[in-house]
Amino acid sequence: MSLLKINDLKVHYPIRGGFFRGVVDHVKAVDGISFELQPGETYGLVGESGCGKTTTGRAIIGLNKATDGEILFEGTDLVKQKGSDRRKHVKDIQMIFQDPYSSLNVRKNILNIIAEPLRNFERMSPGEELKRVQALVDRVGLNPESIYKYPHQFSGGQRQRIGIARALTLNPKLIIADEPVSALDVSVQAQVLNFMQEIQKEYNLTYLFISHDLGIIKHMCDRIGIMYRGRFVEEGTAGDVYNNPQHLYTKRLIAAIPEMDPEKRFEKTHLRQSINEEYRTNYDNYFDKDGRMFDLKSISTTHSVALQ
Amino acid sequence: MTENLLFEIEIYRLYKEEVFLGNSVLEIENLRASFRIKGDYYAAVDGVSLTVHENEVVAIVGESGCGKSALALSIMGLHNLKTTKLEGQVNFQSQNLLSLSPAKLNKVRGKDIGMIFQDPMTALNPLATIGRQIEEPMDYHMKLSSAAKKKRTMDLLRRVGIKNEQRIYGQYPHELSGGMRQRVIIAIALACDPVLLIADEPTTALDVTIQAQIMDLLKELQNQIKSGIILITHDLGVVAEMADRVAVMYAGEVVEIAEVRELFMNPLHPYTRSLLNSIPSNMEAKAKLHVIEGIVPSIQNLDRIGCRFAPRVAWVPEEDHETNPQMHEVKPNHFVRCTCYKNFHFPEGRVGEKDYVAT
């Protein structure tokens, strides 16, 4: 059974206007997407800013309300659950946030930051709690004495690892990582990515990895979903998407990755130009008359594309 | 299309040869920029020498805190002089920019040196129209009638790839997307036909597809305007696509300079090699990325004796480092600092960084 199954998820925000501030239209941030996560895999959600990838992640964990659709976590629909019922399930889903500078409370020390989920969900004596936090802090490679320090005393990479420790406290099954490294330097980025791979094996985690960086997604993910304007454009294994992109938008995204071989820079520029040309001439083959993506059609067992 | 491509590569080769014969636009000699912290001066840029030729893109790469931006701001004279001490020489058009008075410097910057700033969201004035902001440097540096200014502005907007320039001319920054704003900033930098362009992380704040567009635009403009460009970035992908020569900076010093192909094919300095190994797209999927131990030291805590990268490659024996690291010309036009590159290897099986402890 899949760990998480999203069925036709929609998140619409109302636009109010007119005389009585009535709802005149909707912003369709997420407009009917479906995908599945198998236990232990890393699923990448890619797209430009504003395509709805973060909204999807936040809807799953419950920070945004889903307008329509189902979020089946281990078979239970989280959209229908309310209050304490929902809490029981949501405990197994944790989130790592994008910006380690603003996602840690500056007025709490590391002990209180990491112990907060424990205090919310588990009854532990202060001694047990301390032991647990120290073990976690040690696991993420920080000095156990540093639990009495405050976030400003740490560097960006260390803070992000504190964020990861907080996400790990309740032994979650699914971690939603929303751009976990985009605020970090390259070398620190490598450190955090390596670490995420290590703990994935150790704690048997499933990741929903949200990023706009296709290089990182390729490195980390087993399967990838490409989003554009709130819809899925293409879905498949990393190999499917990178080696055999079918949709024009996917090709465009992949062509935008900077070329690491200086010899090939002209080819890359030409590739981009020809794709942009195709975008102008063949637009109608890829988008319907409202500029909306078509529904996904599978072209192999693992690979599906939004084509007519 | 392939014919066209071969033709362009040929042109590129030809013009490359010309570059090395070309005149130098900017010569930086032993530049040192020190900031005052609690009464003492600490150098953030520590003895950098660098030459930029006509029609050449020189990229400066390094992690944050390596002094890349401090270097750019020193060239432009944008540091607060009350707390900054600038030493050395920045020779531009046969005058030392560091010795000029602010009034004289104002005649140079914005006219002969243009700057592209990192964040297109904050670099524009939200209260002035786009047209007004592009015309502003022309007011200071050129004597043009308002009709001529407007014509020139329209030309510039078209050159940076904005198609509906009539409309954009009267719009305010908040009405434009990030990519469009960055194009406007490039137009401002180009307003007075600069001889030298300094681009400080021009694509960092942008989406991947927009980044690709801006890179292509800069490459195209470079071919048109023939000016030298200093490109500051931490993204080695951007370097590989845009630069002609690359200077790798670490802790205020240049540790390696080489032509771009040479640097990517044959990187020598441990820092350059570590950087290249830490990029996900450079490695096999799911392979471990190289992690550079520790962090860039702050300018107060920096040990200025010996090889500055030594603490981050602790497995390299001490005798491999020079006591007073110098730049060595290993191959023609390929310079490396210190001797530790000779026997450098990545330790086997050392992955992640478990004993990276908070200080």
Side-chain angles (χ1 to χ4, degrees):
Chain A
M1 194 181 74
S2 52
L3 181 74
L4 180 76
K5 192 169 191 308
I6 309 285
N7 271 336
D8 201 25
L9 176 72
K10 289 180 183 163
V11 181
H12 292 180
Y13 297 110
I15 302 171
R16 289 180 180 276
F19 191 58
F20 291 110
R21 310 296 299 158
V23 176
V24 286
D25 201 357
H26 287 95
V27 176
K28 293 171 178 167
V30 178
D31 197 17
I33 61 167
S34 310
F35 61 95
E36 268 181 67
L37 261 70
Q38 303 302 333
E41 79 170 342
T42 306
Y43 190 93
L45 219 47
V46 210
E48 288 172 280
S49 38
C51 71
K53 52 191 195 304
T54 299
T55 311
T56 307
R58 293 173 68 98
I60 293 167
I61 205 169
L63 292 170
N64 284 333
K65 206 170 162 349
T67 312
D68 196 13
E70 289 177 317
I71 301 171
L72 298 169
F73 182 70
E74 296 184 308
T76 345
D77 186 358
L78 296 180
V79 177
K80 294 206 182 71
Q81 303 278 333
K82 293 249 155 53
S84 58
D85 288 339
R86 190 189 158 89
R87 251 171 94 83
K88 266 181 258 159
H89 300 286
V90 168
K91 189 185 149 193
D92 289 331
I93 310 178
Q94 292 293 329
M95 191 148 179
I96 301 171
F97 293 93
Q98 174 168 6
D99 183 1
Y101 293 90
S102 59
S103 61
L104 301 177
N105 187 340
V106 290
R107 301 177 60 160
K108 284 185 172 180
N109 64 24
I110 303 308
L111 172 66
N112 287 325
I113 288 174
I114 297 179
E116 194 175 342
L118 292 174
R119 291 173 191 164
N120 287 341
F121 285 100
E122 271 163 44
R123 285 165 170 272
M124 281 186 159
S125 71
E128 283 171 335
E129 186 185 282
L130 185 70
K131 238 187 227 160
R132 183 75 175 277
V133 172
Q134 267 171 342
L136 276 165
V137 165
D138 187 45
R139 182 62 201 89
V140 299
L142 299 174
N143 191 332
E145 281 134 44
S146 60
I147 58 170
Y148 295 110
K149 289 186 177 176
Y150 287 84
H152 71 265
Q153 289 165 301
F154 295 90
S155 68
Q158 290 172 328
R159 283 177 194 226
Q160 197 57 300
R161 282 182 290 169
I162 293 167
I164 295 174
R166 175 174 63 184
L168 288 177
T169 41
L170 295 168
N171 288 325
K173 291 174 183 150
L174 172 66
I175 287 189
I176 298 172
D178 186 4
E179 307 255 13
V181 293
S182 57
L184 306 172
D185 243 338
V186 259
S187 59
V188 182
Q189 194 173 301
Q191 187 191 90
V192 172
L193 292 178
N194 279 349
F195 178 68
M196 283 181 70
Q197 287 180 339
E198 271 170 42
I199 56 168
Q200 178 165 35
K201 283 184 211 125
E202 205 175 304
Y203 291 81
N204 195 20
L205 295 168
T206 310
Y207 285 135
L208 178 63
F209 200 97
I210 300 171
S211 179
H212 67 271
D213 188 325
L214 288 133
I216 293 174
I217 289 279
K218 186 184 183 186
H219 182 75
M220 293 290 289
C221 299
D222 305 305
R223 288 195 306 133
I224 295 165
I226 300 211
M227 280 184 82
Y228 184 51
R229 296 187 190 159
R231 305 264 297 165
F232 264 36
V233 178
E234 192 156 351
E235 190 193 27
T237 63
D240 288 340
V241 173
Y242 282 88
N243 304 332
N244 185 21
Q246 293 296 316
H247 197 280
L248 188 59
Y249 182 73
T250 317
K251 288 182 196 164
R252 204 171 155 207
L253 266 188
I254 290 172
I257 308 175
E259 177 59 56
M260 287 305 287
D261 183 353
E263 298 277 359
K264 291 188 186 146
R265 55 166 82 160
F266 283 106
E267 289 166 48
K268 195 81 177 198
T269 312
H270 280 275
L271 177 67
R272 278 183 207 141
Q273 277 163 357
S274 63
I275 287 173
N276 279 346
E277 193 53 41
E278 202 188 338
Y279 195 78
R280 254 172 259 131
T281 51
N282 281 349
Y283 186 83
D284 295 339
N285 295 347
Y286 293 99
F287 302 95
D288 69 8
K289 55 185 188 305
D290 304 325
R292 198 167 181 259
M293 235 65 62
F294 298 106
D295 289 327
L296 284 181
K297 288 213 173 59
S298 59
I299 55 167
S300 76
T301 45
T302 53
H303 193 178
S304 34
V305 189
L307 288 175
Q308 240 167 342
Chain B
M1 195 198 112
T2 36
E3 259 176 42
N4 199 350
L5 183 70
L6 287 172
F7 177 66
E8 254 186 54
I9 290 174
E10 196 47 41
I11 295 266
Y12 177 73
R13 295 242 158 88
L14 283 174
Y15 115 82
K16 278 274 69 134
E17 278 163 28
E18 195 188 346
V19 160
F20 288 108
L21 302 170
N23 300 324
S24 60
V25 182
L26 179 81
E27 281 169 20
I28 303 173
E29 271 168 46
N30 215 1
L31 175 70
R32 185 187 302 267
S34 319
F35 299 130
R36 192 174 68 199
I37 300 164
K38 290 179 185 158
D40 289 324
Y41 281 94
Y42 298 95
V45 179
D46 207 353
V48 170
S49 302
L50 193 69
T51 309
V52 185
H53 298 93
E54 260 173 25
N55 204 357
E56 183 189 37
V57 181
V58 177
I60 300 177
V61 216
E63 286 169 278
S64 34
C66 283
K68 321 184 286 286
S69 290
L71 174 67
L73 295 179
S74 313
I75 300 169
M76 288 293 266
L78 291 175
H79 288 303
N80 180 357
L81 290 175
K82 282 178 188 154
T83 54
T84 318
K85 198 164 66 181
L86 294 173
E87 293 157 293
Q89 287 192 327
V90 179
N91 293 323
F92 179 74
Q93 292 178 335
S94 66
Q95 47 188 354
N96 182 4
L97 292 184
L98 299 185
S99 63
L100 293 184
S101 65
K104 282 202 172 142
L105 197 54
N106 282 343
K107 293 215 159 47
V108 177
R109 53 185 177 194
K111 180 170 183 284
D112 296 323
I113 307 181
M115 185 146 179
I116 299 169
F117 292 94
Q118 173 170 4
D119 187 356
M121 300 295 159
T122 54
L124 291 171
N125 179 353
L127 296 175
T129 59
I130 300 301
R132 183 74 209 86
Q133 299 192 45
I134 299 177
E135 284 173 7
E136 195 183 352
M138 297 179 206
D139 286 342
Y140 284 105
H141 302 295
M142 296 170 134
K143 287 203 169 70
L144 291 176
S145 67
S146 42
K149 268 193 303 193
K150 182 157 184 183
K151 186 173 169 291
R152 200 181 158 81
T153 307
M154 293 296 175
D155 279 347
L156 280 167
L157 284 172
R158 261 194 307 275
R159 261 170 72 194
V160 296
I162 291 175
K163 293 205 179 65
N164 44 354
E165 68 272 8
Q166 297 287 350
R167 210 173 101 220
I168 302 287
Y169 184 86
Q171 281 185 317
Y172 287 90
H174 73 266
E175 295 175 272
L176 307 181
S177 65
M180 289 293 254
R181 286 186 218 193
Q182 195 60 293
R183 284 168 197 268
V184 170
I185 289 167
I186 294 172
I188 295 173
L190 295 177
C192 301
D193 292 324
V195 187
L196 176 70
L197 202 59
I198 301 176
D200 187 359
E201 309 255 8
T203 60
T204 309
L206 305 173
D207 252 334
V208 260
T209 48
I210 312 293
Q211 165 171 306
Q213 287 170 16
I214 297 288
M215 283 194 304
D216 288 344
L217 171 70
L218 283 172
K219 274 188 273 185
E220 201 186 304
L221 287 171
Q222 188 222 352
N223 283 335
Q224 289 173 15
I225 60 179
K226 308 283 177 215
S227 58
I229 299 181
I230 296 181
L231 175 76
I232 292 170
T233 181
H234 67 266
D235 188 336
L236 285 157
V238 174
V239 173
E241 279 219 9
M242 294 212 35
D244 298 320
R245 261 189 323 136
V246 188
V248 182
M249 268 186 93
Y250 182 73
E253 291 181 324
V254 173
V255 292
E256 186 162 3
I257 297 189
E259 212 228 309
V260 66
R261 266 174 279 185
E262 169 73 10
L263 190 94
F264 278 81
M265 297 305 144
N266 185 20
L268 290 179
H269 196 277
Y271 184 56
T272 316
R273 291 176 59 184
S274 311
L275 276 182
L276 283 166
N277 273 0
S278 63
I279 310 172
S281 50
N282 234 5
M283 304 295 284
E284 289 291 300
K286 299 264 168 185
K288 282 283 174 190
L289 300 169
H290 176 70
V291 175
I292 310 176
E293 233 173 83
I295 48 170
V296 182
S298 66
I299 54 174
Q300 291 145 281
N301 299 332
L302 177 61
D303 185 5
R304 288 168 199 275
I305 300 159
C307 180
R308 295 187 182 182
F309 194 58
R312 300 184 72 181
V313 282
W315 65 91
V316 173
E318 211 171 297
E319 61 270 19
D320 281 5
H321 295 290
E322 270 177 301
T323 41
N324 190 11
Q326 300 295 324
M327 290 296 263
H328 305 280
E329 186 160 13
V330 185
K331 278 183 191 170
N333 291 319
H334 189 166
F335 295 86
V336 188
R337 191 178 289 276
C338 193
T339 44
C340 54
Y341 72 90
K342 283 182 184 157
N343 295 322
F344 182 74
H345 58 94
F346 289 108
E348 267 174 56
R350 194 190 73 91
V351 287
E353 219 184 317
K354 287 206 176 147
D355 26 289
Y356 169 47
V357 166
T359 44

